[in-house]
């Protein structure tokens, strides 16, 4: 017997997904660890099929022209993400319902995953950055990480964005505070590089701040 979902009002594509023992919908990307789905771990074998067959990274239904990426503020600042696209509605659901994304004090738990490789190239944020963004765009370009083998997606201008914090629409101050943490980390590196880096950094700052909510 199917366990009831914790989200009876989820979008239809999400409502069709299987649920785990807690009632959480199991996304397409989730790996199986010890025979059970684990939302914390991306199944790398799902990346290729999602791209080749143009499937939503969350629900596995065909994407069509509806492409959105769920990202943290650092990925939005750089406009590069490691995860394939999903539907806009699926991305907004994930941003509003995922326990890690909706709980600011939550840190990634690695319990039971000691033998699993979790850190993607470039590193992984171990804490909740406070906000996330659903980024819809028709302009995307597959690229490679400097390791020469990991797929990334370079994103162009968004057609629309939605910022979330604690499972709801984020305020401008919440978004700018999260971005300021990123800016503060970059500033000493940029200052040590030279004028060209400073100019590029200022341009990146301006373009992401222009997308913060009013």
């Amino acid at each position: 017997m199917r366990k009831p979902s914790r989200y009876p009002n989820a979008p239809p594509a999400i409502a069709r997904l299987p649920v785990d023992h807690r009632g959480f919908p199991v996304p397409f990307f989730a790996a199986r660890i010890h025979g059970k789905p684990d939302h914390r771990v991306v199944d790398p074998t799902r990346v290729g099929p999602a791209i080749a067959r143009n499937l939503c990274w969350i629900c596995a239904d065909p994407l069509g022209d509806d492409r959105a990426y769920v990202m943290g503020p650092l990925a939005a600042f750089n406009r590069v993400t490691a995860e394939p696209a999903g539907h806009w509605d699926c991305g907004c659901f994930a941003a509003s319902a995922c326990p890690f994304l909706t709980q600011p004090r939550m840190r990634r738990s690695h319990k039971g995953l000691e033998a699993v490789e979790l850190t993607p190239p470039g590193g992984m944020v171990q804490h909740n950055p406070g906000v996330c963004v659903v980024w819809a765009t028709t302009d995307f370009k597959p690229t490679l990480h400097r390791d020469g083998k990991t797929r990334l997606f370079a994103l162009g201008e968004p057609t629309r964005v939605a910022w979330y914090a604690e499972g709801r629409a984020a305020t401008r101050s919440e978004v700018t505070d999260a971005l300021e943490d990123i800016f503060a980390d970059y500033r000493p590196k940029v200052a040590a590089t030279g004028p060209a880096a400073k100019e590029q950094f200022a341009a990146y700052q301006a373009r992401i701040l222009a997308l913060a909510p009013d």
Side-chain angles (χ1 to χ4, degrees), residues 1 7 13 34-35 53 58 60 68 76 104 106 111 121 130 133 135 151 169 178 181 188 190 192 195 200 213:
M1 182 177 176
Y7 304 99
H34 307 305
R53 295 164 58 193
I58 298 171
M106 182 171 283
K111 184 178 180 181
V133 62
W135 182 291
R151 286 191 180 110
D181 287 343
V190 170
Q200 184 181 38

Side-chain angles (χ1 to χ4, degrees), residues 2-12 14-16 19 23-25 93 97:
R2 176 185 168 97
K3 186 177 181 63
S5 171
R6 295 171 64 122
Y7 304 99
N9 297 320
I14 299 293
R16 290 193 293 269
V19 296
F24 284 107
F93 172 81

Side-chain angles (χ1 to χ4, degrees), residues 47-124:
V47 178
I51 298 170
R53 295 164 58 193
N54 200 33
L55 302 178
C56 174
W57 187 231
I58 298 171
C59 77
D61 284 352
L63 275 177
D65 295 328
D66 178 19
R67 308 182 67 88
Y69 299 81
V70 183
M71 305 182 292
L74 178 58
F77 173 73
N78 289 313
R79 299 196 177 187
V80 176
T81 182
E83 294 190 355
H87 297 113
W88 174 264
D89 286 348
C90 291
C92 290
F93 172 81
S96 64
C98 170
F100 179 75
L101 296 177
T102 59
Q103 298 179 43
R105 291 187 175 85
M106 182 171 283
R107 299 186 68 84
R108 296 186 189 273
S109 170
H110 295 168
K111 184 178 180 181
L113 301 175
E114 289 76 13
V116 179
E117 175 56 49
L118 293 176
T119 306
M124 175 174 19

Side-chain angles (χ1 to χ4, degrees), residues 171-207:
T171 66
R172 182 174 181 84
S173 62
E174 288 171 329
V175 172
T176 56
D177 285 350
L179 291 173
E180 178 55 35
D181 287 343
I182 295 168
F183 301 160
D185 183 57
Y186 269 105
R187 283 190 185 103
K189 304 171 187 176
V190 170
T193 304
K198 291 181 180 179
E199 185 175 341
Q200 184 181 38
F201 177 58
Y204 275 41
Q205 283 182 294
R207 72 178 187 178

